[in-house]
């Protein structure tokens, strides 16, 4: 959006250029300095991983070696590599299938929970959003323990019928795990659209004899199309970026995805092929950017689906009648299979020496897994590091992103619009690509070597990835604060920076807290960008779980997973308490 207009039409007031009081020049200099510093810092942060990736993709040898020659051979080798082409095909097949699963279940949840009188809507809403708080890594491990080849229910079914009832290794299994973990995203976007539906349209359908399911299918669902398109493309992109699911359910049978290809060629190889990794990262980056452009183009006609107008009626819930209990039963089965059983399995595995239906868990109970995790310095340090990165990193990132939003939305900075676009660019940068880019940036930049192998580079990488999320929360609140408040402060001699920090930011404290909450949860769950950046001493929970998993120590993996879930639960509870308290004040 453009900088806010003032009643007088003088946007220069945002920079403190209203004439007169003493110190105006100093205030103006401070404002301009902060704005330029913010823009430059954001540019460096966003381009730091991008530049080395582009540069490496065009070099005939590792970028840290001298006498490198510019060449397109890396792209030629990549596009002629049969393994890469299979990985691309697998990634697209997985993304399409997972998106279909997520959209069907997410839209179904939104329609029935928000537009009907389905019983137990409160618990169902909590269950629908619960996977959002779990790392995809934890989710993949949990599914493996219950539905994998040696999973509890798999062995139980095999004992009953003589053969394994399913095989989670492959596109189908990966799509189910990825799709159900992405379902909350679809539900989140579509539920608000469903709640805002105009009841007159549904009443018109009922007046000509349409039943509840027909009303949902023919009236309510089409009106949600913009939300479905937006969510579907986010799920598609998220599935292309995911590392955990193909790592757990694809690699054991030789199925590589875009991300596991980068992972294996970058970390798994004895001699990493940096040129090919750089070229693959560039292609993935371009692909995600193109998908985001397609998303914006498809949503240009969203105005056709506006339903809330001056004469719109308050939405009323559609009575399901005899269908209430059967539909509720379907929902209970879905949540038990996709949420409760995987969580139960990973919790039980953390307290047992092994988990099998052939033996009661009570006979193999143990606390050895937690003793190992909490007693081993590296494992314990990964927990501590995760909490530090999530709390300190999220706090610093929130403050920095708040300044970015202030410059983009509450100043007359000449490049405010460009800064806003720059703040949203990290949406197109997958976590594993960001990790590779920052790793190479530390090799190229002489002053960055002290960051190598520390938790500070993890905070920086996570913060760059989190800019779009936090910026969206803060910027949306800033545009709701009237610019006349800036004018009033300016009239008594306050400069731009003083006005922003003393008046504007305190008014958007709920948005700042929301941004901090989103960043904390995102930092705590992040692992993909860290796999290229961590070193002994800077481990986090995600990287430690990957290491333990590769060594086959599922008990310790389960214990770390439960600890991460517990930390998340405590934080979400505290955040809910703070939010409710502030609302009551």
């Amino acid at each position: 959006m453009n900088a806010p207009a003032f009643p007088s039409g003088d946007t220069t007031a945002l920079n403190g250029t209203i004439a007169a009081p003493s110190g105006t020049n100093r205030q103006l200099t401070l404002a301009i300095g902060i704005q330029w510093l913010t823009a430059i810092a954001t540019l460096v942060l966003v381009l730091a991983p991008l530049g080395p990736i582009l540069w490496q993709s065009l070099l005939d040898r590792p970028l840290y070696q001298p006498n490198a020659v510019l060449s397109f051979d890396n792209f030629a080798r990549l596009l002629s590599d049969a393994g890469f082409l299979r990985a691309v095909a697998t990634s697209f097949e997985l993304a399409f299938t997972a998106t279909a699963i997520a959209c069907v279940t997410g839209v179904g949840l939104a329609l029935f929970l928000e537009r009907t009188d389905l019983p137990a809507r409160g618990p169902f809403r909590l269950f629908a959003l619960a996977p959002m708080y779990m790392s995809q890594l934890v989710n993949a491990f949990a599914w493996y323990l219950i539905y994998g080849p040696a999973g509890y229910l798999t062995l139980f079914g095999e004992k009953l019928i003589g053969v394994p009832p399913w095989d989670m290794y492959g596109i189908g299994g990966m799509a189910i795990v990825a799709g159900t973990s992405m379902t909350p995203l679809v539900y989140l976007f579509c539920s608000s659209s469903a709640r805002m539906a105009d009841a007159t349209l549904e009443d018109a359908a009922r007046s000509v004899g349409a039943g509840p399911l027909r009303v949902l299918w023919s009236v309510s669902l089409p009106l949600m199309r913009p939300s479905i398109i937006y969510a579907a493309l986010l799920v598609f992109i998220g599935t292309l970026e995911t590392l955990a699911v193909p790592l757990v359910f694809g690699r054991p049978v030789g199925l590589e995805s875009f991300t596991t290809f980068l992972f294996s060629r970058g970390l798994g190889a004895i001699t990493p092929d940096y040129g090919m990794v750089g070229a693959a990262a560039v292609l993935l980056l371009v692909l995600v950017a193109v998908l985001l452009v397609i998303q914006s183009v498809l949503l240009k006609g969203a105005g056709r689906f506006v339903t809330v107008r001056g004469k719109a009626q308050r939405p009323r819930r559609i009575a399901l009648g005899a269908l209430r209990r059967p539909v509720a039963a379907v929902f209970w089965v879905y949540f038990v299979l996709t949420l409760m059983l995987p969580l139960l399995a990973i919790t039980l595995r953390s307290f047992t020496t092994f988990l099998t239906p052939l033996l009661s868990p009570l006979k193999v109970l143990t606390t050895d897994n937690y003793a190992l995790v909490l007693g081993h310095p590296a494992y314990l340090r990964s927990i501590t590091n995760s909490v530090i990165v999530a709390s300190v990193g999220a706090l610093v990132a929130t403050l920095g992103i708040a300044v970015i939003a202030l410059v983009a939305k509450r100043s007359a900075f000449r490049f405010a619009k460009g800064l806003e676009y720059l703040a949203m660019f990290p949406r197109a940068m997958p976590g594993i690509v960001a990790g590779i880019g920052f790793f190479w940036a530390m090799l190229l930049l002489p002053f960055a070597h002290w960051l190598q192998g520390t938790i500070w580079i993890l905070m920086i990488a996570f913060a760059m990835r989190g800019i779009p999320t936090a910026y969206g929360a803060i910027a949306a609140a800033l545009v709701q604060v009237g610019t006349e408040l800036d004018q009033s402060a300016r009239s008594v001699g306050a400069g731009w920076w003083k006005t922003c920090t003393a008046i504007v930011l305190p008014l958007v404290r709920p948005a700042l807290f929301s941004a901090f909450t989103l960043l904390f949860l995102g930092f705590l769950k992040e692992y993909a960008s860290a796999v290229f950046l961590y070193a002994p001493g800077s481990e986090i929970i995600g990287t430690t779980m990957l290491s333990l998993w590769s060594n086959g120590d599922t008990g310790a993996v389960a214990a770390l997973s439960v600890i991460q879930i517990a930390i998340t639960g405590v934080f979400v509870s505290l955040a809910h308490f703070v939010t409710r308290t502030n609302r009551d004040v």
Side-chain angles (χ1 to χ4, degrees), residues 545-561:
M545 284 196 291
L546 281 174
S547 177
L548 288 168
W549 181 263
S550 64
N551 293 329
D553 197 343
T554 56
V557 170
L560 272 175
S561 299

Side-chain angles (χ1 to χ4, degrees), residues 101-444:
I101 292 172
C103 286
V104 170
T105 52
V107 171
L109 287 169
L111 283 174
F112 282 98
L113 297 187
E114 307 301 334
R115 299 300 305 120
T116 72
D117 62 348
L118 188 73
R121 289 190 304 276
F124 285 160
R125 288 193 184 100
L126 293 177
F127 298 154
L129 293 175
M132 285 186 63
Y133 304 120
M134 291 172 56
S135 163
Q136 277 212 350
L137 199 57
V138 172
N139 191 56
F141 292 152
W143 275 73
Y144 180 87
L145 290 173
I146 193 75
Y147 299 118
Y152 191 91
L153 282 185
T154 306
L155 294 178
F156 184 78
E158 185 176 1
K159 182 182 177 182
L160 289 179
I161 62 177
V163 295
W166 50 69
D167 182 8
M168 293 296 291
Y169 283 159
I171 296 293
M174 288 192 292
I176 291 173
V177 179
T180 53
S181 68
M182 295 281 189
T183 293
L185 190 65
V186 180
Y187 168 70
L188 200 60
F189 281 100
C190 293
S191 60
S192 59
S193 178
R195 282 193 295 268
M196 295 172 63
D198 186 358
T200 58
L201 302 175
E202 296 172 346
D203 288 343
R206 281 194 291 266
S207 68
V208 293
L213 296 183
R214 178 67 184 217
V215 172
L216 291 174
W217 177 261
S218 301
V219 179
S220 305
L221 180 61
L223 293 174
M224 295 164 59
R225 195 180 305 170
S227 298
I228 296 173
I229 292 173
Y230 188 84
L233 279 167
L234 285 182
V235 171
F236 192 91
I237 293 169
T239 307
L240 285 179
E241 297 176 359
T242 188
L243 174 62
V245 175
L247 203 59
V248 173
F249 292 100
R251 288 193 76 190
V253 290
L255 277 177
E256 294 275 13
S257 69
F258 230 137
T259 51
T260 57
F261 180 88
L262 289 171
F263 181 80
S264 60
R265 295 299 177 98
L267 284 181
I270 298 175
T271 305
D273 190 337
Y274 285 161
M276 187 174 285
V277 169
V282 168
L283 289 181
L284 180 57
L285 192 64
V286 170
L287 175 61
V288 173
V290 169
L291 289 172
L292 289 172
V293 171
I294 292 173
Q295 181 188 68
S296 63
V297 171
L298 291 176
L299 290 176
K300 280 186 176 179
R304 296 183 295 119
F305 300 91
V306 172
T307 61
V308 180
R309 303 185 187 275
K311 295 183 179 180
Q313 295 182 15
R314 183 179 180 181
R316 293 189 296 274
R317 299 195 185 279
I318 298 171
L320 291 176
L323 295 174
R324 290 179 79 239
R325 295 188 183 280
V327 173
V330 170
F331 276 46
W332 276 115
V333 171
Y334 170 78
F335 288 123
V336 167
L337 293 178
T338 63
L339 177 65
M340 298 176 188
L341 287 181
L343 284 178
L344 179 62
I346 205 164
T347 303
L348 283 176
R349 182 63 187 89
S350 72
F351 284 103
T352 55
T353 53
F354 55 90
L355 189 62
T356 173
L358 305 177
L359 193 63
S360 169
L362 297 177
K363 295 183 178 181
V364 287
L365 286 178
T366 182
T367 57
D368 288 350
N369 296 318
Y370 289 96
L372 172 63
V373 167
L374 299 177
H376 193 290
Y379 303 160
L380 181 60
R381 187 168 56 239
S382 70
I383 300 171
T384 305
N385 286 343
S386 290
V387 174
I388 294 173
V389 168
S391 53
V392 176
L395 178 60
V396 174
T398 300
L399 296 177
I401 296 168
V403 177
I404 295 174
L406 287 172
V407 175
K409 292 295 185 183
R410 305 295 291 201
S411 80
F413 183 56
R414 60 185 300 183
F415 298 113
K417 188 66 175 178
L419 180 61
E420 183 169 25
Y421 286 133
L422 188 63
M424 301 309 293
F425 181 80
R427 287 192 307 168
M429 194 174 298
I432 195 167
V433 173
I436 294 171
F438 275 108
F439 174 74
W440 286 340
M442 288 186 295
L443 297 178
L444 283 178

